[in-house]
Amino acid sequence: MEPEFLIDPWGAVLVEDYRKIIECFGLKPFTDELLRMMPEPNRLMRRKVVFCHRDLEVILNAIRGGRPFYALTGIVPSAEKIHFGNKMVVENMAYFQRYASRVYMLVADIEAATVRGISLREARRRAMEFHIPAYIALGLNPEKVTFYFQSENKSVMRLAHILSAKVTLSEFRAIYGEVTPGKMVAALLDVGDILYPQLEEPMPGVIPVGIDQDPHIRLARDLARRFRKEYGFIPPASVYHKYTPSLDGRLKMSKSRPGSYIEIPEPPESVEKKIWDAFTGGRPTAEEQRELGGKPEICVVFELFKQHLIEDDGELDRIYDACKSGEIICGDCKTMASELMKRFMEEFEERLEEAREIAKTLEFAVE
Ligand code: SF4
C-alpha cells in the first residue's frame, strides 16, 4: 500500500491511528503470539505499548537459539532534558541488552549540528553531563555498551559515504518528504550507525525506537539489502513504542505546549500541577462518576500508570476495574500519580548523580 502520509523524524507528528501506520508502512503488529515467544517481556511489551515491529522474529529466534545479535540506540542531544519517550527506548534497550552479544549507544552530534544547529562542543557537553548519565540512570548497563560520538567514528562516516552511492534524491523525498542537504547527511549517518556493528561481522540487530524514527529504519533496511553482496548486511529489526499522550489529551506531547508534557527531570511541584490539570476519563461530577464509573481507556492519568508508573499488572487491572465501577474517582488517581511521579523523579536524580561519575570513566570508540 502506498503511504498516504509521511513520518518526519525531525518534526512533531501526530499519530491518529496506529493501525493505519502499520498498514501504510508495512509494519507488523506486536501480537500475543510474539509476546509468548519473548523471555520475560517488559511492562511496555506486556501492555502492547510496544505495538509493532519489523523482523522481531529474527531477534527472538536468535535469543532462543543463543545466537549473536546486537542492539543499538542513539541520542540527539538537541535538548537539555529528555522525555518519557526516551525512557521507553531505554527500557526496551535494557530488555534486549540482557540477551544481546553487543550493545551500542551513539551520540548523534553531527545530526544535532546539521539539523538542529547545536555545535559539536555543546552537543558533547550535553551528552556527557546529562544524556548519557540519564540513559544509565534509567537502566542501560554501561558495562556492556560500546559508546561513541558520530563525529569521532570514522568507520560510520566512511560507511555513510559509501551508502550514498545507492540511494537517490527521489528516494529521500519519498521517505522523508522535503529534505535539505543537512538532513540527507544526517539520514545517511543514521543508517551508517545502524549498520556499523555489522562491519565487523554481519549479524541481526534490533533498534528500539519511537514510530517517528521509522524512516531511518526503512532506509537502513533498503540499503542493507542493496549492499548485501559487498558487506553481507542483514536488514536490522526494530520495535516501536506508542507515544506517551499529551497531558491535555492530544496524541503527542509537544514542546510548543509546555503544560502538555513532563520532562525528565522536572520538579515535583510542577509535575503535580500538570497531573492535576491533566485530561481524564472522569465524569463532570463526582456523584455521576460514583454512579456511572469513569473511562480509563481515554484517560491520560491511567495511561501514565500503564506506561510508566505501575509495574504490577494486577494492580493496574484493579485500578481499571475500580475506575469502571466508580469505586475510585479522578482525585484519587491524581494523588497517587503525583506521589509515584515524585518518587520516580527523586530516584532518577539520585541515580543520575551516580551515573555522572560513571560517565566520566567511559571510553568512547574512535575508529
Ligand atoms: Fe482516569 Fe482514575 Fe479518573 Fe478513572 S478515576 S478516569 S483512571 S483518573
Side-chain angles (χ1 to χ4, degrees):
M1 185 186 292
E2 275 298 302
E4 293 165 33
F5 53 91
L6 289 159
I7 296 179
D8 175 4
W10 299 291
V13 279
L14 290 177
V15 176
E16 288 169 23
D17 185 342
Y18 285 106
R19 256 183 318 186
K20 200 158 142 190
I21 291 248
I22 289 175
E23 282 172 21
C24 279
F25 295 104
L27 295 150
K28 289 192 208 154
F30 191 76
T31 58
D32 288 334
E33 195 190 340
L34 209 57
L35 202 54
R36 280 193 290 274
M37 286 171 72
M38 303 191 84
E40 299 180 57
N42 70 17
R43 162 177 27 82
L44 301 170
M45 295 160 181
R46 293 195 309 271
R47 296 176 189 170
K48 304 277 176 64
V49 179
V50 170
F51 74 105
C52 65
H53 69 101
R54 293 188 191 274
D55 278 355
L56 182 58
E57 302 91 346
V58 174
I59 300 300
L60 298 185
N61 287 334
I63 293 176
R64 281 148 76 109
R67 290 188 297 281
F69 71 94
Y70 67 94
L72 177 140
T73 189
I75 50 165
V76 186
S78 53
E80 291 278 359
K81 293 183 178 178
I82 54 172
H83 51 72
F84 278 82
N86 300 109
K87 175 175 171 283
M88 290 198 260
V89 167
V90 180
E91 286 177 326
N92 287 332
M93 275 298 286
Y95 174 81
F96 289 113
Q97 183 172 31
R98 297 213 296 263
Y99 309 100
S101 42
R102 293 199 254 138
V103 181
Y104 296 81
M105 180 178 173
L106 65 109
V107 180
D109 54 347
I110 294 192
E111 179 170 348
T114 53
V115 181
R116 310 279 188 194
I118 311 283
S119 71
L120 292 181
R121 180 192 289 241
E122 175 60 12
R124 188 175 193 98
R125 184 194 68 74
R126 289 181 188 181
M128 292 305 296
E129 288 179 9
F130 180 70
H131 290 79
I132 293 173
Y135 272 45
I136 294 171
L138 288 172
L140 195 73
N141 175 2
E143 283 174 20
K144 211 176 125 186
V145 180
T146 300
F147 292 90
Y148 69 87
F149 283 82
Q150 261 180 349
S151 61
E152 292 178 346
N153 191 322
K154 294 193 186 70
S155 299
V156 167
M157 281 190 258
R158 264 197 302 270
L159 183 56
H161 278 108
I162 290 166
L163 295 172
S164 72
K166 292 194 184 180
V167 62
T168 64
L169 184 58
S170 44
E171 277 175 295
F172 269 118
R173 288 200 176 121
I175 294 176
Y176 294 99
E178 271 317 300
V179 284
T180 60
K183 285 182 177 177
M184 283 194 269
V185 169
L188 285 166
L189 277 170
D190 281 335
V191 174
D193 288 321
I194 291 171
L195 298 177
Y196 159 69
Q198 297 196 46
L199 285 177
E200 196 179 315
E201 180 192 353
M203 65 170 70
V206 60
I207 326 291
V209 284
I211 190 68
D212 56 334
Q213 297 303 305
D214 185 54
H216 298 318
I217 304 287
R218 268 182 278 149
L219 185 59
R221 287 169 59 86
D222 282 350
L223 286 169
R225 287 187 199 99
R226 285 174 211 168
F227 282 89
R228 177 169 285 167
K229 217 164 117 205
E230 294 91 329
Y231 290 94
F233 287 148
I234 298 166
S238 48
V239 292
Y240 304 85
H241 60 77
K242 290 182 181 174
Y243 289 120
T244 296
S246 156
L247 294 174
D248 53 18
R250 297 197 219 174
L251 289 151
K252 187 187 174 190
M253 296 189 181
S254 165
K255 292 264 174 220
S256 59
R257 305 190 311 279
S260 73
Y261 61 93
I262 298 172
E263 288 184 308
I264 304 175
E266 187 165 323
E269 314 74 53
S270 120
V271 170
E272 189 172 358
K273 178 166 184 337
K274 287 177 183 177
I275 288 176
W276 277 90
D277 290 343
F279 175 82
T280 70
R283 305 279 175 180
T285 65
E287 198 180 26
E288 258 183 80
Q289 192 158 344
R290 295 259 183 233
E291 195 184 324
L292 301 169
K295 296 180 189 168
E297 56 282 353
I298 59 160
C299 174
V300 171
V301 178
F302 186 78
E303 203 60 27
L304 287 178
F305 288 148
K306 179 177 156 187
Q307 294 190 2
H308 301 290
L309 297 175
I310 291 183
E311 189 60 44
D312 185 290
D313 292 345
E315 192 183 350
L316 188 73
D317 289 346
R318 279 192 290 281
I319 293 174
Y320 185 93
D321 293 342
C323 168
K324 287 299 248 188
S325 68
E327 190 188 320
I328 55 170
I329 56 174
C330 299
D332 302 325
C333 285
K334 287 177 171 181
T335 303
M336 186 175 171
S338 303
E339 190 47 46
L340 289 172
M341 198 59 96
K342 182 172 167 237
R343 207 179 306 157
F344 166 77
M345 293 294 177
E346 284 169 357
E347 286 173 6
F348 174 78
E349 296 266 20
E350 261 178 48
R351 288 198 299 264
L352 186 68
E353 281 314 307
E354 290 167 28
R356 280 194 170 117
E357 294 307 310
I358 296 170
K360 287 178 194 161
T361 67
L362 295 176
E363 289 185 12
F364 291 82
V366 182
E367 298 186 34

